[in-house]
Amino acid sequence: GTYDLAGLTVRRLGGPTEADPDAVGQIQFEITFREPLVNPWSAPAGFSHQTIDLYLDAYPGTETGAHRLLPGRVAATPDSSGWDYAFTLDGWGASQYLAGASGEVTELEAGLDYTLLADRRTILVTVDRASLPPGDETIWRYGVAVLANQAIPSLGIHGLRELATVPSRFRLGGGTGAINDPMLIDVLHPDAGVQEETLTYETPVGTGSPDDIDVARLAKIPMVGAR
């Protein structure tokens, strides 16, 4: 249950007021898991095993932004959408990214404010609204994914635990051996069976680098609304 996503809540904090008409406020994301997160490796943020990605599609239906997820994920957004902003975080740190209209990705210099709440099931992320794409927040769609953090970078790929056909001490099992096996353990969707269908690819790729695989041959993550 500590890799199982249970929900995403998004809220706006602050904004323009009579005293400060130029204020833009912040956006908070609450990512909830089914079971409490544990910290056997003493990570500063209070949890050790999970890497969490959030991908924001600010302009649904336009296909602007990036389609391939962050490096090492071996997955993409659906054909009808792209991501315009993303963050990834684990027990040791976090990064934020913006994607341009044509898909070029830039890492933001600003740090990311996040904390594990007292229930140990909810990670609260606070982002300055100015760091996010402009436009109507009510139409935003989100892809949320959980991956296995390696904690020993030299044994993983992009800080993630590798996927193999048979599990071992530092590798996840369940892979097919194809290099386009997605590295995602769980993705957020309210309906049963949807994530299994979307994370399935049609044609296995046997050789090469996962970063060079055509996006059309990658598994796709669901993009959903938040409550």
Side-chain angles (χ1 to χ4, degrees):
T2 61
Y3 284 108
D4 292 334
L5 290 163
L8 170 69
T9 301
V10 181
R11 67 175 65 90
R12 175 77 177 262
L13 299 179
T17 64
E18 185 175 343
D20 188 0
D22 296 324
V24 293
Q26 298 171 310
I27 301 291
Q28 282 192 330
F29 303 90
E30 281 189 1
I31 301 170
T32 306
F33 290 80
R34 295 201 180 278
E35 297 294 337
L37 308 189
V38 295
N39 194 23
W41 302 330
S42 301
F47 60 96
S48 297
H49 295 135
Q50 300 79 10
T51 292
I52 301 104
D53 289 356
L54 181 142
Y55 300 89
L56 188 159
D57 182 3
Y59 315 107
T62 66
E63 298 192 38
T64 60
H67 295 277
R68 192 183 304 270
L69 302 191
L70 295 174
R73 278 60 178 171
V74 199
T77 58
D79 296 339
S80 60
S81 65
W83 63 267
D84 305 287
Y85 167 85
F87 66 69
T88 183
L89 60 89
D90 58 35
W92 287 267
S95 300
Q96 302 181 75
Y97 303 87
L98 282 176
S102 58
E104 67 279 8
V105 175
T106 302
E107 183 173 355
L108 301 180
E109 294 183 1
L112 189 67
D113 179 12
Y114 68 103
T115 186
L116 179 64
L117 299 185
D119 65 359
R120 302 200 63 81
R121 297 173 57 247
T122 305
I123 296 175
L124 176 66
V125 184
T126 304
V127 181
D128 288 338
R129 179 63 183 86
S131 298
L132 301 175
D136 182 4
E137 302 154 19
T138 65
I139 67 170
W140 287 355
R141 306 286 287 177
Y142 308 90
V144 185
V146 180
L147 307 96
N149 186 272
Q150 184 56 274
I152 306 174
S154 62
L155 297 177
I157 300 174
H158 298 289
L160 305 174
R161 192 158 293 219
E162 289 187 69
L163 181 67
T165 55
V166 178
S168 60
R169 184 178 182 188
F170 294 110
R171 289 176 175 83
L172 299 172
T176 69
I179 64 169
N180 54 332
D181 278 348
M183 295 286 286
L184 314 180
I185 295 178
D186 195 29
V187 293
L188 188 66
H189 198 282
D191 299 323
V194 173
Q195 65 168 312
E196 291 86 351
E197 180 180 351
T198 60
L199 288 177
T200 300
Y201 50 83
E202 293 185 3
T203 307
V205 178
T207 60
S209 168
D211 294 332
D212 296 331
I213 299 172
D214 187 275
V215 170
R217 303 181 73 175
L218 296 177
K220 306 300 191 294
I221 66 168
M223 302 297 284
V224 301
R227 65 174 188 266

